[in-house]
């Protein structure tokens, strides 16, 4: 049972435009959400996070929006750059937080075309 | 330079053999984790450890074993009981400060034939 879902396996965007990556979750008991970026054959690197008490967090070109009523979060990248091409994972932390456990979505592969 | 190292980068084994994947961190983190990634799937938690000499099963622990004898090290053994061992294995660590961020190693690609 996939509690965190990224329903778009891939996304292609033109350089300079906005990239919007989406993530849905089914469990209301998530406390915190994170986005990770992953290049092929490398480990994921942390990008940005948001607490469930907020609805927006911004860091440079990256903004994460949280809509708790819709159980939906999105990552906006503006402007998109070719170096942003990677797989993006959203992850959620349960309230009960067993040992800092993260629950990951399947990932969305972003391709930014020059 | 603080970080997490995993070795080797690529590992090949014959079916029926146990294999141990190394994970070392010098970040002074208390918690460590093992994930596996398969094509088109997210990261799935195999085992995690919050403190030395203690560890818990994750969502897909069957066919795997771990040890945590030192804070810096959290090796994962893929046993012959694991039915589909070929995958990309990722080790991660985190502090216990409540910021939830996990730091990942570069991964080990295991191929079993």
């Amino acid at each position: 049972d996939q509690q965190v879902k990224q329903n778009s396996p891939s996304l292609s965007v033109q350089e300079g435009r906005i990239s919007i990556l989406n993530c849905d979750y089914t469990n209301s008991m998530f406390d915190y959400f994170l986005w990770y970026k992953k290049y092929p054959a490398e480990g994921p690197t942390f990008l940005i996070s948001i607490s469930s008490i907020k609805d927006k967090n911004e860091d440079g070109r990256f903004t994460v929006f949280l809509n708790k009523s819709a159980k939906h979060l999105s990552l906006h990248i503006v402007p998109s750059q070719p170096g942003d091409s990677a797989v993006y994972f959203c992850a959620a932390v349960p309230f009960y937080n067993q040992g800092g456990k993260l629950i990951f979505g399947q990932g969305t592969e972003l391709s930014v075309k020059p | 330079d603080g970080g997490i190292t995993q070795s080797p980068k690529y590992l090949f084994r014959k079916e029926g053999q146990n294999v141990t994947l190394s994970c070392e961190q010098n970040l002074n983190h208390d918690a460590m984790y093992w994930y596996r990634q398969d094509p088109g799937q997210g990261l799935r938690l195999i085992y995690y450890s919050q403190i030395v000499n203690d560890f818990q099963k994750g969502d897909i622990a069957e066919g795997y074993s771990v040890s945590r004898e030192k804070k810096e090290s959290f090796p994962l053994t893929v046993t012959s009981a694991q039915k589909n061992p070929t995958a990309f294995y990722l080790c991660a660590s985190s502090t216990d400060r409540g910021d939830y961020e996990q730091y990942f190693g570069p991964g080990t690609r295991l191929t079993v034939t």
Side-chain angles (χ1 to χ4, degrees):
Chain A
D1 181 28
Q2 190 80 25
Q3 296 184 65
V4 179
K5 299 179 185 180
Q6 293 177 258
N7 292 317
S8 298
S10 63
L11 174 68
S12 184
V13 169
Q14 206 68 31
E15 181 178 6
R17 307 295 288 268
I18 184 172
S19 295
I20 301 176
L21 297 108
N22 293 304
C23 180
D24 296 295
Y25 58 97
T26 58
N27 189 341
S28 300
M29 303 299 287
F30 288 135
D31 185 37
Y32 202 81
F33 301 89
L34 304 92
W35 283 94
Y36 280 83
K37 174 180 178 179
K38 184 183 181 301
Y39 293 116
E42 293 185 13
T45 54
F46 170 74
L47 205 51
I48 192 169
S49 61
I50 187 166
S51 165
S52 61
I53 63 172
K54 296 187 174 181
D55 53 20
K56 177 182 173 181
N57 189 26
E58 194 171 350
D59 183 3
R61 296 187 297 117
F62 303 91
T63 304
V64 56
F65 295 92
L66 176 62
N67 181 336
K68 287 186 286 295
S69 61
K71 297 192 182 68
H72 176 84
L73 66 155
S74 60
L75 173 69
H76 293 212
I77 307 174
V78 182
S80 301
Q81 299 173 354
D84 295 329
S85 297
V87 177
Y88 289 79
F89 291 98
C90 65
V93 182
F95 278 119
Y96 52 85
N97 191 19
Q98 285 177 303
K101 182 176 174 177
L102 297 180
I103 299 174
F104 284 85
Q106 309 96 308
T108 295
E109 183 171 9
L110 173 65
S111 176
V112 180
K113 309 283 188 198
Chain B
D1 235 339
I4 300 179
T5 56
Q6 291 184 244
S7 59
K9 183 78 173 168
Y10 299 96
L11 193 51
F12 298 88
R13 278 293 181 270
K14 295 286 186 189
E15 201 172 311
Q17 292 179 334
N18 291 355
V19 60
T20 297
L21 282 59
S22 164
C23 177
E24 304 277 332
Q25 56 100 356
N26 61 4
L27 299 166
N28 200 32
H29 286 170
D30 288 306
M32 297 186 74
Y33 311 82
W34 274 104
Y35 294 90
R36 101 174 240 166
Q37 186 193 7
D38 296 283
Q41 296 201 38
L43 281 63
R44 294 184 291 166
L45 183 65
I46 304 172
Y47 267 98
Y48 64 101
S49 167
Q50 293 175 268
I51 199 166
V52 174
N53 292 323
D54 188 42
F55 48 83
Q56 286 78 40
K57 292 182 179 179
D59 301 315
I60 54 165
E62 187 175 345
Y64 299 98
S65 66
V66 292
S67 63
R68 186 87 187 274
E69 296 174 4
K70 298 186 300 182
K71 187 175 185 177
E72 305 79 23
S73 179
F74 191 41
L76 173 75
T77 297
V78 184
T79 76
S80 56
Q82 168 48 233
K83 296 196 184 335
N84 296 296
T86 294
F88 189 55
Y89 289 88
L90 287 157
C91 179
S93 69
S94 70
T95 67
D96 230 349
R97 291 196 314 254
D99 57 7
Y100 306 121
E101 182 183 341
Q102 293 183 13
Y103 297 78
F104 285 84
T108 292
R109 166 70 63 186
L110 173 64
T111 303
V112 177
T113 57

